[in-house]
Amino acid sequence: MADNLSDTLKKLKITAADRTDDSLEGCLDCLLQALTQNNMETSEKIQGSGILQVFASLLIPQSSCTAKVANIIAEIAKNEFMRIPCVDAGLISPLVQLLNSKDQEVLLQTGRALGNICYDSHEGRSAVDQAGGAQIVVDHLRSLCSKTDPASEKLLTVFCGMLMNYSNENDSLQAQLINMGVIPTLVKLLGIHCQNAALTEMCLVAFGNLAELESSKEQFASTNIAEELVKLFKKQIEHDKREMVFEVLAPLAENDAIKLQLVESGLVECLLEIVQQKVDSDKEEDIAELKTASDLMVLLLLGDESMQRLFEGGKGSVFQRVLSWIPSNNHQLQLAGALAIANFARNDGNCIHMVDNGIVEKLMDLLDRHVEDGNVTVQHAALSALRNLAIPVVNKAKMLSAGVTEAVLKFLKSEMPPVQFKLLGTLRMLIDAQAEAAEQLGKNVKLVERLVEWCEAKDHAGVMGESNRLLSALIRHSKSKDVIKTIVQSGGIKHLVTMATSEHVIMQNEALVALALIAALELGTAEKDLESAQLVQILHRLLADERSAPEIKYNSMVLICALMGSEPLHKEVQDLAFLDVVSKLRSHENKSVAQQASLTEQRLAVES
């Protein structure tokens, strides 16, 4: 065969120059046969023979051999090492010209050749881009879209595949296709050709490609993609096929408008059915599908409108079904159930309804099952739900009397930052304006010591921030001397002083208010710690800094006045010439700041 092939290649060079179609055709058939028998070896021979440049001259619309030449190029471009040589031999421009042909076989083989050259090849894509190939193919898709004869469907499949290879994992080429309006055409294709498995699959892969791009979501939202995908999803029996639809649904469902369309198209019912079918199976693919379906369900609930539509005033069958996941024995369903509740708990009305209807007890039972060696993701999700439910004022007392703080405190020993973070947030929400609960927690030495420890969790900014905020909240909401003493004894003062320098105004403010209460109620107890934490110097900096927010300046001055009752701190205030800084603030544009500056100035003048 090798000799035969060498002879064929030599003969091809000569006949190509003469353009004698009959003998040319024989040579091309011979090459195609050799490629069928051993594609790689034949391709290497073709590359070594220098015949690729000859192919460029054979790619002419009038010739009867054109389709065969394009077919040979499509075959050799299946090999990665042949793609750049095809570009270098100048094959792209004549191939793109052939996309204007009226001959279906020429179009088919040209689409294959360009698609294979583009596969995983930056050079191939770039050359097709420069030659303007994508636009011609998009136009073909548009004009062929409604034709359902087998030849047209085959051509559509090849063109979809070509665009997919052209734009795969390349944001700028994907954006180019989106600007050419390919999305509505592909959605229409999917609707018309849903019986054709190969074409449907190509459309799905193309959607998966494009859906990752943010700019595509708006275009998708203006089509009936949701309806088409749900229709297709309902038809799929095989796991692999459903998986393909899932891979398109997930990125699309990140868009709120599409979330709502998917809910209206009945996706949720399909997902709930899958959960029901797969919940007791221990087959690997069923477990994976259960996870995908329940995750997607949770994602749909992240949209405000789609969530409210499914909540249906707490009477919705979907909401009820999700509730039944929480007591389930399946960890994935427990997780999805708790996350779904956290998503339903995004407005006061829903939260109040759920607390009144016993959701808190269900979540506490779930947490109880995960205290010892529990599942961290389930712990995190259940705490997230409780935190959200604790936001409305009317829910706080109900949740406190239901024993939520005790349930949450069981996780105080957790070493997992995500769990620590949610635990802190839940406690902070619960004690907001609840003096008794704040006092009870603030006198809990174990809790306060753990908070002080977490205030130093430099690797976990979220945990560190939440610990500081809870320390401050315990003081602000309890206004209790005992709480302050517990925090002083546990070494918490220095953290509150550091918190006053936070980059977040809300945290600075919370710290300053807590420190002012400490100074008003227990200055003697905290005096040493305030001094060693250099509070006075920090307050001077905050007042002198023009970037400090008005409320920060105001509360810093209130705190300065409160500190005057301590001799050592009073001395520090005098040494730092606070009068100069404060007198400048009398003309501050904020009236409260200006008034407080006058009062503070008088106080400083009297005390000096």
Side-chain angles (χ1 to χ4, degrees):
M1 181 193 125
D3 293 345
N4 229 347
L5 183 57
S6 303
D7 291 345
T8 301
L9 289 167
K10 280 180 195 156
K11 194 173 171 193
L12 188 57
K13 275 190 176 172
I14 297 160
T15 48
D18 298 348
R19 304 224 175 222
T20 44
D21 277 9
D22 292 349
S23 48
L24 192 56
E25 203 141 342
C27 293
L28 295 173
D29 285 338
C30 208
L31 272 188
L32 279 168
Q33 198 181 348
L35 283 163
T36 310
Q37 286 166 359
N38 189 334
N39 190 319
M40 197 182 218
E41 197 182 311
T42 306
S43 296
E44 283 170 349
K45 284 260 168 50
I46 289 173
Q47 188 189 0
S49 70
I51 202 89
L52 283 179
Q53 282 79 357
V54 175
F55 285 161
S57 65
L58 294 176
L59 291 170
I60 45 173
Q62 311 79 297
S63 168
S64 60
C65 300
T66 305
K68 277 185 184 160
V69 178
N71 187 1
I72 290 169
I73 296 168
E75 288 302 317
I76 62 176
K78 286 177 179 175
N79 301 289
E80 191 183 346
F81 65 87
M82 289 301 291
R83 290 172 199 146
I84 293 177
C86 284
V87 174
D88 293 344
L91 298 181
I92 302 298
S93 185
L95 281 169
V96 168
Q97 291 306 310
L98 287 177
L99 288 171
N100 297 307
S101 168
K102 298 280 180 277
D103 184 313
Q104 276 213 318
E105 184 61 20
V106 170
L107 286 174
L108 188 75
Q109 300 303 345
T110 303
R112 284 184 62 233
L114 288 169
N116 289 353
I117 292 170
C118 285
Y119 185 78
D120 242 354
S121 163
H122 169 70
E123 292 77 8
R125 292 168 181 179
S126 196
V128 173
D129 177 24
Q130 282 165 10
Q135 183 67 64
I136 305 172
V137 174
V138 171
D139 292 343
H140 273 305
L141 287 180
R142 216 168 272 139
S143 59
L144 287 167
C145 186
S146 306
K147 295 188 175 174
T148 52
D149 60 286
S152 295
E153 287 197 325
K154 201 172 173 187
L155 196 49
L156 283 165
T157 308
V158 165
F159 282 154
C160 272
M162 185 237 143
L163 290 181
M164 194 180 73
N165 287 353
Y166 172 70
S167 64
N168 189 31
E169 291 182 353
N170 184 311
D171 287 2
S172 64
L173 294 181
Q174 286 171 358
Q176 180 195 75
L177 292 181
I178 290 165
N179 291 338
M180 288 174 183
V182 77
I183 288 174
T185 306
L186 288 172
V187 174
K188 195 173 161 193
L189 261 183
L190 186 67
I192 295 170
H193 302 273
C194 55
Q195 303 302 330
N196 183 315
L199 186 47
T200 298
E201 213 161 291
M202 276 300 180
C203 279
L204 287 175
V205 180
F207 287 145
N209 252 346
L210 299 169
E212 297 292 342
L213 216 61
E214 213 34 59
S215 59
S216 74
K217 308 265 168 67
E218 277 177 33
Q219 269 210 30
F220 274 119
S222 65
T223 69
N224 63 334
I225 183 79
E227 193 187 323
E228 293 296 354
L229 286 175
V230 173
K231 217 187 306 175
L232 186 66
F233 189 75
K234 284 177 180 168
K235 272 191 221 153
Q236 306 308 323
I237 301 151
E238 294 165 50
H239 168 78
D240 293 352
K241 295 283 194 299
R242 277 212 290 242
E243 196 59 36
M244 281 192 81
V245 184
F246 269 139
E247 280 173 13
V248 181
L249 286 169
L252 286 179
E254 286 168 11
N255 175 281
D256 281 359
I258 299 175
K259 279 187 186 78
L260 189 59
Q261 291 167 10
L262 288 169
V263 167
E264 288 169 344
S265 302
L267 177 62
V268 173
E269 289 71 15
C270 299
L271 298 175
L272 290 173
E273 203 175 307
I274 287 176
V275 168
Q276 207 166 350
Q277 287 165 5
K278 311 291 179 184
V279 68
D280 298 320
S281 170
D282 47 14
K283 274 201 225 152
E284 212 169 294
E285 64 176 36
D286 287 348
I287 294 168
E289 200 162 349
L290 176 82
K291 178 175 171 18
T292 310
S294 52
D295 284 350
L296 188 49
M297 180 78 208
V298 171
L299 181 57
L300 291 174
L301 293 172
L302 277 172
D304 287 339
E305 275 190 83
S306 51
M307 178 271 288
Q308 215 49 44
R309 179 74 54 97
L310 294 170
F311 189 66
E312 291 181 62
K315 304 279 188 291
S317 60
V318 173
F319 172 64
Q320 295 301 330
R321 190 87 74 87
V322 167
L323 275 188
S324 74
W325 292 357
I326 293 173
S328 136
N329 289 321
N330 182 303
H331 280 185
Q332 174 57 36
L333 280 195
Q334 293 171 358
L335 170 65
L339 287 173
I341 298 304
N343 285 345
F344 279 125
R346 285 211 315 279
N347 64 51
D348 283 7
N350 292 4
C351 288
I352 292 164
H353 177 91
M354 286 192 278
V355 169
D356 287 347
N357 284 277
I359 188 66
V360 171
E361 288 70 17
K362 283 191 172 70
L363 289 166
M364 287 187 348
D365 288 346
L366 177 60
L367 276 175
D368 246 4
R369 293 161 71 183
H370 287 278
V371 175
E372 299 303 326
D373 305 320
N375 181 306
V376 174
T377 51
V378 175
Q379 293 171 358
H380 178 260
L383 288 167
S384 295
L386 286 171
R387 180 198 175 281
N388 288 3
L389 290 165
I391 292 171
V393 178
V394 294
N395 281 357
K396 296 181 198 293
K398 293 173 189 169
M399 289 175 73
L400 287 166
S401 59
V404 173
T405 41
E406 292 76 9
V408 170
L409 285 172
K410 288 177 188 171
F411 294 91
L412 206 52
K413 54 182 182 289
S414 171
E415 292 304 330
M416 305 306 289
V419 174
Q420 296 167 353
F421 179 71
K422 288 297 175 187
L423 172 151
L424 292 163
T426 307
L427 291 176
R428 190 164 62 79
M429 285 302 157
L430 281 169
I431 63 164
D432 191 7
Q434 307 296 309
E436 201 180 315
E439 180 161 13
Q440 205 180 345
L441 278 179
K443 291 192 292 193
N444 180 330
V445 177
K446 267 192 179 151
L447 169 66
V448 174
E449 284 177 348
R450 195 70 162 130
L451 291 182
V452 170
E453 184 190 327
W454 286 341
C455 282
E456 291 172 9
K458 301 240 180 329
D459 296 343
H460 302 286
V463 172
M464 198 163 92
E466 276 294 343
S467 302
N468 278 304
R469 293 190 76 185
L470 184 52
L471 264 187
S472 153
L474 291 170
I475 295 169
R476 288 183 295 113
H477 298 304
S478 71
K479 299 183 176 60
S480 151
K481 292 184 167 208
D482 289 338
V483 170
I484 294 170
K485 282 175 187 164
T486 308
I487 290 173
V488 172
Q489 280 154 14
S490 303
I493 296 297
K494 63 180 180 201
H495 297 300
L496 290 170
V497 174
T498 306
M499 183 181 167
T501 63
S502 163
E503 58 196 28
H504 305 290
V505 173
I506 191 163
M507 285 176 68
Q508 280 187 294
N509 220 20
E510 287 171 0
L512 291 168
V513 172
L515 288 164
L517 282 165
I518 292 170
L521 298 169
E522 275 297 325
L523 185 54
T525 313
E527 184 180 72
K528 275 197 173 61
D529 288 355
L530 294 171
E531 198 179 349
S532 61
Q534 299 194 315
L535 173 62
V536 173
Q537 289 82 338
I538 285 168
L539 292 173
H540 190 274
R541 273 210 309 276
L542 289 174
L543 288 171
D545 188 345
E546 286 174 11
R547 292 164 304 177
S548 294
E551 59 268 42
I552 301 303
K553 291 191 186 298
Y554 177 88
N555 282 323
S556 295
M557 288 187 282
V558 170
L559 182 47
I560 285 294
C561 295
L563 294 176
M564 302 301 262
S566 151
E567 205 176 310
L569 293 170
H570 183 178
K571 187 175 182 315
E572 285 189 7
V573 170
Q574 283 178 319
D575 292 348
L576 270 174
F578 265 83
L579 263 171
D580 301 348
V581 185
V582 171
S583 57
K584 281 181 189 159
L585 293 173
R586 279 203 334 243
S587 54
H588 196 277
E589 58 188 359
N590 182 296
K591 277 204 180 102
S592 304
V593 172
Q595 268 173 329
Q596 186 58 42
S598 294
L599 291 170
T600 308
E601 190 180 32
Q602 285 165 23
R603 182 78 192 270
L604 287 168
V606 170
E607 300 281 347
S608 63

